[in-house]
Coordinates of all heavy atoms in Angstrom, one line a residue:
M728 N -8.1 -38.2 20.8 CA -8.4 -36.7 20.9 C -8.9 -36.5 22.3 O -10.0 -36.8 22.8 CB -9.5 -36.3 20.0 CG -10.0 -34.8 20.2 SD -11.0 -34.2 18.9 CE -12.6 -34.9 19.2
P729 N -8.0 -36.1 23.3 CA -8.4 -35.8 24.6 C -9.4 -34.6 24.7 O -9.3 -33.7 23.9 CB -7.1 -35.4 25.3 CG -6.0 -35.8 24.4 CD -6.6 -35.8 23.0
F730 N -10.3 -34.8 25.6 CA -11.4 -33.7 26.0 C -11.3 -33.5 27.4 O -11.5 -34.4 28.2 CB -12.7 -34.2 25.5 CG -13.8 -33.2 25.8 CD1 -14.1 -32.4 24.8 CD2 -14.4 -33.1 27.0 CE1 -15.1 -31.4 25.1 CE2 -15.4 -32.3 27.3 CZ -15.8 -31.3 26.3
V731 N -11.0 -32.3 27.8 CA -10.9 -31.9 29.2 C -12.0 -30.8 29.4 O -12.1 -29.9 28.8 CB -9.4 -31.4 29.6 CG1 -9.5 -30.9 31.0 CG2 -8.4 -32.4 29.2
N732 N -12.8 -31.1 30.6 CA -13.7 -30.1 30.9 C -13.4 -29.4 32.3 O -13.4 -30.3 33.2 CB -15.1 -30.8 30.9 CG -16.3 -29.8 31.2 OD1 -16.1 -28.7 31.7 ND2 -17.4 -30.2 31.0
I733 N -13.1 -28.2 32.3 CA -12.9 -27.6 33.6 C -14.0 -26.8 34.0 O -14.5 -25.9 33.3 CB -11.6 -26.7 33.5 CG1 -10.4 -27.4 33.0 CG2 -11.4 -25.8 34.7 CD1 -9.2 -26.5 32.5
K734 N -14.5 -27.0 35.3 CA -15.7 -26.3 35.7 C -15.1 -25.4 36.9 O -14.5 -25.9 37.9 CB -16.7 -27.3 36.4 CG -17.3 -28.0 35.2 CD -18.5 -28.9 35.6 CE -19.0 -29.8 34.5 NZ -20.3 -29.7 34.2
I735 N -15.4 -24.1 36.8 CA -15.1 -23.2 37.9 C -16.4 -22.4 38.2 O -17.2 -22.2 37.3 CB -13.9 -22.3 37.5 CG1 -14.3 -21.4 36.1 CG2 -12.6 -23.1 37.3 CD1 -13.2 -20.5 35.8
T736 N -16.4 -21.8 39.3 CA -17.5 -20.9 39.7 C -17.3 -19.5 38.8 O -16.2 -19.1 38.6 CB -17.5 -20.6 41.1 OG1 -16.4 -20.0 41.6 CG2 -17.9 -21.7 41.9
R737 N -18.4 -19.0 38.5 CA -18.4 -17.7 37.9 C -18.1 -16.5 38.6 O -19.0 -15.9 39.3 CB -19.8 -17.5 37.1 CG -19.9 -16.3 36.2 CD -21.0 -16.3 35.4 NE -21.1 -17.4 34.5 CZ -22.1 -18.0 33.9 NH1 -23.3 -17.6 34.2 NH2 -22.0 -19.2 33.2
E738 N -16.9 -16.2 38.8 CA -16.4 -15.2 39.7 C -15.3 -14.3 39.1 O -14.5 -13.8 39.7 CB -16.1 -15.8 41.1 CG -17.1 -16.5 41.7 CD -16.7 -17.1 43.0 OE1 -16.0 -18.2 42.9 OE2 -17.1 -16.7 44.1
G739 N -15.4 -14.1 37.9 CA -14.4 -13.2 37.2 C -13.1 -13.7 36.8 O -12.1 -13.0 36.9
A740 N -12.9 -15.0 36.6 CA -11.6 -15.5 36.0 C -11.4 -14.6 34.7 O -12.3 -14.5 33.8 CB -11.7 -16.9 35.7
S741 N -10.2 -14.1 34.5 CA -10.1 -13.2 33.3 C -9.7 -14.0 32.1 O -9.4 -15.2 32.2 CB -8.8 -12.3 33.6 OG -7.6 -13.1 33.6
P742 N -9.9 -13.4 31.0 CA -9.6 -14.2 29.7 C -8.1 -14.6 29.8 O -7.9 -15.8 29.2 CB -9.8 -13.1 28.6 CG -10.9 -12.2 29.2 CD -10.5 -12.2 30.7
D743 N -7.2 -13.8 30.4 CA -5.8 -14.3 30.4 C -5.8 -15.5 31.3 O -5.0 -16.4 31.0 CB -4.9 -13.3 30.9 CG -4.7 -12.1 29.9 OD1 -4.9 -12.3 28.6 OD2 -4.2 -11.0 30.3
Q744 N -6.4 -15.6 32.4 CA -6.3 -16.7 33.3 C -6.8 -18.0 32.6 O -6.3 -19.0 32.7 CB -7.1 -16.5 34.6 CG -6.4 -15.5 35.4 CD -7.2 -15.0 36.6 OE1 -8.4 -14.8 36.5 NE2 -6.7 -14.9 37.8
K745 N -8.0 -17.9 31.9 CA -8.6 -18.9 31.2 C -7.6 -19.5 30.1 O -7.4 -20.7 29.9 CB -9.9 -18.5 30.6 CG -11.0 -18.3 31.6 CD -12.2 -17.8 30.9 CE -13.1 -17.2 32.0 NZ -14.4 -16.7 31.3
A746 N -7.0 -18.5 29.3 CA -6.1 -18.9 28.3 C -4.8 -19.7 28.9 O -4.4 -20.7 28.4 CB -5.6 -17.7 27.6
T747 N -4.5 -19.3 30.1 CA -3.3 -19.9 30.7 C -3.7 -21.4 31.1 O -2.9 -22.3 31.1 CB -2.9 -19.1 32.0 OG1 -2.4 -17.9 31.6 CG2 -1.8 -19.9 32.8
L748 N -5.0 -21.5 31.7 CA -5.5 -22.8 31.9 C -5.5 -23.7 30.7 O -5.1 -24.9 30.8 CB -6.9 -22.7 32.5 CG -7.0 -22.3 34.0 CD1 -8.5 -22.1 34.3 CD2 -6.4 -23.4 34.9
I749 N -6.1 -23.2 29.7 CA -6.2 -24.0 28.4 C -4.8 -24.5 27.9 O -4.5 -25.6 27.6 CB -7.0 -23.2 27.3 CG1 -8.4 -23.0 27.8 CG2 -6.9 -23.9 26.0 CD1 -9.2 -22.0 26.9
R750 N -3.8 -23.5 27.9 CA -2.5 -23.8 27.4 C -1.8 -24.8 28.3 O -1.2 -25.8 27.9 CB -1.7 -22.5 27.4 CG -0.2 -22.7 27.0 CD 0.3 -23.5 25.9 NE -0.5 -23.1 24.7 CZ -0.7 -24.0 23.6 NH1 -0.3 -25.3 23.7 NH2 -1.4 -23.7 22.7
G751 N -2.0 -24.5 29.7 CA -1.3 -25.4 30.7 C -1.9 -26.9 30.7 O -1.0 -27.8 30.6
V752 N -3.2 -27.1 30.4 CA -3.7 -28.3 30.4 C -3.3 -29.1 29.2 O -3.0 -30.3 29.1 CB -5.3 -28.4 30.5 CG1 -5.9 -29.8 30.1 CG2 -5.7 -27.9 31.9
T753 N -3.2 -28.4 28.0 CA -2.9 -28.9 26.8 C -1.4 -29.3 26.8 O -1.1 -30.4 26.4 CB -3.0 -27.8 25.6 OG1 -4.4 -27.5 25.6 CG2 -2.6 -28.3 24.2
D754 N -0.6 -28.4 27.4 CA 0.8 -28.8 27.5 C 1.1 -30.0 28.4 O 1.9 -30.8 28.2 CB 1.6 -27.6 28.0 CG 1.8 -26.5 27.1 OD1 1.6 -26.7 25.8 OD2 2.2 -25.4 27.4
L755 N 0.4 -30.1 29.5 CA 0.4 -31.2 30.4 C 0.1 -32.4 29.7 O 0.8 -33.5 30.0 CB -0.5 -31.0 31.7 CG -0.4 -31.9 32.8 CD1 1.0 -32.1 33.4 CD2 -1.5 -31.7 33.8
L756 N -1.1 -32.5 29.0 CA -1.4 -33.8 28.4 C -0.4 -34.1 27.3 O 0.0 -35.4 27.0 CB -2.7 -33.6 27.6 CG -3.9 -33.7 28.6 CD1 -5.1 -33.2 27.9 CD2 -4.0 -35.1 29.1
A757 N 0.3 -33.2 26.6 CA 1.4 -33.4 25.6 C 2.5 -34.1 26.4 O 3.2 -35.0 25.9 CB 1.7 -32.2 24.9
D758 N 2.9 -33.4 27.5 CA 4.2 -33.8 28.2 C 4.1 -35.2 29.0 O 5.0 -36.0 28.8 CB 4.5 -32.7 29.2 CG 5.0 -31.5 28.6 OD1 5.2 -31.4 27.4 OD2 5.0 -30.4 29.3
V759 N 2.9 -35.4 29.6 CA 2.7 -36.6 30.4 C 2.2 -37.7 29.5 O 2.8 -38.9 29.7 CB 1.8 -36.3 31.5 CG1 1.4 -37.6 32.3 CG2 2.4 -35.3 32.5
L760 N 1.4 -37.5 28.7 CA 0.8 -38.6 27.9 C 1.1 -38.7 26.4 O 0.6 -39.6 25.7 CB -0.8 -38.6 28.0 CG -1.4 -38.7 29.4 CD1 -2.8 -38.6 29.4 CD2 -1.0 -40.0 30.0
G761 N 1.9 -37.7 26.0 CA 2.3 -37.6 24.5 C 1.2 -37.3 23.6 O 1.2 -37.7 22.4
K762 N 0.1 -36.6 24.1 CA -1.1 -36.3 23.3 C -0.7 -35.1 22.4 O 0.0 -34.3 22.7 CB -2.3 -36.0 24.2 CG -2.8 -37.1 25.0 CD -3.2 -38.3 24.1 CE -3.7 -39.5 25.0 NZ -4.1 -40.6 24.2
N763 N -1.4 -35.1 21.2 CA -1.2 -34.2 20.3 C -1.9 -32.9 20.6 O -3.1 -32.8 20.7 CB -1.7 -34.6 18.8 CG -1.4 -33.7 17.8 OD1 -1.1 -32.5 17.9 ND2 -1.7 -34.1 16.5
P764 N -1.2 -31.8 20.8 CA -2.0 -30.5 21.2 C -2.9 -30.0 20.1 O -3.9 -29.5 20.4 CB -0.7 -29.5 21.3 CG 0.4 -30.3 21.6 CD 0.3 -31.6 20.9
A765 N -2.7 -30.4 18.8 CA -3.6 -30.0 17.8 C -5.0 -30.6 17.9 O -6.0 -30.1 17.4 CB -3.0 -30.2 16.5
T766 N -5.0 -31.7 18.6 CA -6.4 -32.5 18.7 C -6.8 -32.5 20.2 O -7.8 -33.2 20.5 CB -6.1 -33.9 18.2 OG1 -5.2 -34.5 19.0 CG2 -5.8 -33.9 16.7
T767 N -6.2 -31.8 21.1 CA -6.7 -31.7 22.4 C -7.7 -30.5 22.6 O -7.5 -29.4 22.2 CB -5.4 -31.3 23.3 OG1 -4.6 -32.5 23.2 CG2 -5.9 -31.2 24.8
V768 N -8.8 -30.9 23.1 CA -9.9 -30.0 23.3 C -10.0 -29.7 24.9 O -10.1 -30.6 25.7 CB -11.3 -30.5 22.8 CG1 -12.5 -29.7 23.2 CG2 -11.2 -30.9 21.4
V769 N -10.0 -28.4 25.2 CA -10.3 -28.0 26.6 C -11.4 -27.0 26.6 O -11.4 -26.0 25.9 CB -9.0 -27.3 27.1 CG1 -9.2 -26.8 28.6 CG2 -7.8 -28.1 27.1
V770 N -12.4 -27.4 27.5 CA -13.5 -26.5 27.7 C -13.6 -26.0 29.1 O -13.5 -26.8 30.0 CB -14.9 -27.3 27.4 CG1 -16.1 -26.5 27.6 CG2 -14.9 -27.8 25.9
I771 N -13.8 -24.7 29.3 CA -14.0 -24.1 30.6 C -15.5 -23.8 30.8 O -16.0 -22.9 29.9 CB -13.1 -22.9 30.8 CG1 -11.6 -23.3 30.7 CG2 -13.4 -22.2 32.2 CD1 -10.7 -22.1 30.8
E772 N -16.1 -24.3 31.7 CA -17.5 -24.0 32.2 C -17.5 -23.2 33.3 O -17.0 -23.6 34.4 CB -18.4 -25.3 32.2 CG -18.6 -26.0 31.0 CD -19.6 -27.2 31.2 OE1 -20.8 -26.9 31.5 OE2 -19.1 -28.3 31.1
E773 N -18.2 -22.0 33.3 CA -18.4 -21.2 34.5 C -19.8 -21.5 35.0 O -20.8 -21.3 34.3 CB -18.2 -19.7 34.1 CG -16.7 -19.5 33.7 CD -16.5 -18.0 33.5 OE1 -17.0 -17.6 32.4 OE2 -15.9 -17.3 34.3
V774 N -19.8 -21.8 36.2 CA -21.1 -22.2 37.0 C -21.4 -21.1 38.0 O -20.5 -20.7 38.7 CB -21.0 -23.5 37.7 CG1 -22.3 -23.9 38.2 CG2 -20.6 -24.6 36.5
D775 N -22.7 -20.7 38.0 CA -23.1 -19.7 39.0 C -23.0 -20.4 40.4 O -23.3 -21.6 40.6 CB -24.6 -19.3 38.9 CG -24.8 -18.4 37.6 OD1 -23.9 -17.5 37.3 OD2 -25.8 -18.4 37.0
T776 N -22.6 -19.7 41.4 CA -22.5 -20.2 42.7 C -23.8 -20.9 43.3 O -23.8 -21.7 44.2 CB -21.9 -19.2 43.7 OG1 -22.7 -18.0 43.9 CG2 -20.4 -18.9 43.3
D777 N -24.9 -20.4 42.8 CA -26.2 -20.9 43.3 C -26.4 -22.4 42.7 O -27.2 -23.1 43.3 CB -27.4 -20.1 42.7 CG -27.6 -18.8 43.3 OD1 -27.0 -18.5 44.5 OD2 -28.2 -17.9 42.8
N778 N -25.6 -22.7 41.7 CA -25.8 -24.0 41.0 C -24.6 -24.9 41.3 O -24.4 -25.9 40.7 CB -25.9 -23.8 39.5 CG -27.1 -23.0 39.1 OD1 -28.1 -23.0 39.7 ND2 -26.9 -22.2 38.0
W779 N -23.9 -24.6 42.3 CA -22.7 -25.4 42.8 C -22.8 -25.7 44.2 O -22.8 -24.7 44.9 CB -21.4 -24.7 42.4 CG -20.2 -25.5 42.6 CD1 -19.7 -26.2 43.6 CD2 -19.2 -25.6 41.5 NE1 -18.5 -26.7 43.4 CE2 -18.1 -26.4 42.1 CE3 -18.9 -25.1 40.3 CZ2 -17.0 -26.7 41.3 CZ3 -17.8 -25.4 39.5 CH2 -16.9 -26.2 40.1
G780 N -22.9 -27.0 44.6 CA -23.1 -27.2 46.0 C -22.0 -28.1 46.6 O -21.4 -28.9 45.9
I781 N -21.7 -27.9 47.8 CA -20.8 -28.7 48.5 C -21.4 -28.9 49.9 O -21.9 -28.1 50.6 CB -19.4 -27.9 48.8 CG1 -18.8 -27.8 47.5 CG2 -18.5 -28.8 49.7 CD1 -17.5 -27.0 47.6
G782 N -21.4 -30.2 50.3 CA -21.9 -30.6 51.7 C -23.4 -30.2 51.8 O -23.8 -29.9 53.0
G783 N -24.2 -30.3 50.8 CA -25.6 -30.1 50.9 C -26.1 -28.7 50.8 O -27.2 -28.4 51.0
E784 N -25.2 -27.8 50.6 CA -25.6 -26.4 50.4 C -24.8 -25.7 49.3 O -23.7 -26.1 48.9 CB -25.4 -25.6 51.7 CG -24.0 -25.5 52.1 CD -23.9 -24.7 53.5 OE1 -24.8 -24.0 53.9 OE2 -22.8 -24.7 54.1
S785 N -25.5 -24.7 48.7 CA -24.8 -24.0 47.5 C -23.7 -23.2 48.0 O -23.5 -22.8 49.2 CB -25.8 -23.1 47.0 OG -26.1 -22.0 47.6
I786 N -22.7 -22.9 47.1 CA -21.6 -22.1 47.5 C -22.0 -20.7 47.9 O -21.5 -20.1 48.7 CB -20.6 -22.0 46.2 CG1 -20.0 -23.4 45.8 CG2 -19.6 -20.9 46.3 CD1 -19.2 -23.9 46.9
T787 N -23.1 -20.2 47.2 CA -23.6 -18.9 47.6 C -23.9 -18.9 49.1 O -23.6 -17.9 49.8 CB -24.9 -18.5 46.8 OG1 -24.6 -18.6 45.4 CG2 -25.5 -17.2 47.1
L788 N -24.7 -19.9 49.7 CA -25.1 -19.9 51.0 C -23.9 -20.1 51.9 O -23.8 -19.4 53.0 CB -26.1 -21.0 51.2 CG -27.5 -20.8 50.6 CD1 -28.4 -22.0 50.8 CD2 -28.2 -19.5 51.3
R789 N -23.0 -21.0 51.5 CA -21.7 -21.1 52.3 C -20.9 -19.8 52.5 O -20.5 -19.5 53.6 CB -20.8 -22.2 51.6 CG -21.4 -23.6 51.8 CD -20.4 -24.6 51.0 NE -19.1 -24.8 51.7 CZ -18.8 -25.9 52.3 NH1 -19.8 -26.9 52.5 NH2 -17.6 -25.9 52.9
R790 N -20.8 -19.2 51.4 CA -20.1 -17.9 51.5 C -20.8 -16.8 52.3 O -20.1 -16.1 53.0 CB -19.7 -17.4 50.1 CG -18.7 -18.4 49.5 CD -18.2 -17.9 48.2 NE -17.3 -18.8 47.7 CZ -16.9 -19.0 46.4 NH1 -17.4 -18.3 45.4 NH2 -16.0 -19.9 46.1
Q791 N -22.1 -16.8 52.2 CA -22.8 -15.8 53.1 C -22.7 -16.2 54.4 O -22.6 -15.3 55.3 CB -24.4 -15.9 52.7 CG -24.6 -15.2 51.3 CD -26.1 -15.4 50.8 OE1 -26.9 -16.2 51.4 NE2 -26.5 -14.8 49.7
R792 N -22.8 -17.4 54.8 CA -22.6 -17.9 56.1 C -21.3 -17.6 56.8 O -21.1 -17.1 57.9 CB -22.9 -19.4 56.3 CG -23.0 -20.0 57.6 CD -23.4 -21.4 57.7 NE -23.0 -22.1 56.6 CZ -21.8 -22.9 56.4 NH1 -21.1 -22.9 57.5 NH2 -21.5 -23.6 55.4
E793 N -20.3 -17.8 55.9 CA -18.8 -17.7 56.4 C -18.3 -16.2 56.3 O -17.4 -15.9 57.0 CB -17.9 -18.5 55.4 CG -18.3 -20.0 55.6 CD -17.4 -20.9 54.6 OE1 -16.8 -20.3 53.7 OE2 -17.6 -22.1 54.7
G794 N -19.1 -15.5 55.5 CA -18.6 -14.0 55.2 C -18.8 -13.1 56.4 O -18.1 -12.3 56.7

């Protein structure tokens, strides 16, 4: 039973976009590894930009600086 965890920043991914990700990952695992779609679990976690860091600073701060 494959388990895939997708983490994205919480910035308004639509329900349709999330459904497309879930379907696409499920199909990819079936096509590439022969995994059963009925037992493939895909979880999308949305993380606040204050809680996601790159290079020692939060995404919030990076975007403020770059903005």
Side-chain angles (χ1 to χ4, degrees):
M728 174 169 77
F730 180 92
V731 178
N732 187 341
I733 300 171
K734 294 184 186 236
I735 59 175
T736 56
R737 182 171 295 156
E738 297 176 289
S741 73
D743 286 340
Q744 290 171 318
K745 293 176 195 177
T747 300
L748 283 172
I749 292 168
R750 172 55 46 208
V752 168
T753 301
D754 290 346
L755 184 64
L756 285 167
D758 294 344
V759 174
L760 298 178
K762 298 299 180 180
N763 182 352
T766 60
T767 298
V768 176
V769 179
V770 175
I771 298 174
E772 290 186 67
E773 293 181 288
V774 179
D775 289 324
T776 58
D777 287 343
N778 298 328
W779 191 304
I781 298 174
E784 64 183 347
S785 73
I786 296 296
T787 303
L788 290 176
R789 286 177 72 105
R790 290 188 178 154
Q791 287 172 352
R792 184 177 34 94
E793 294 169 359

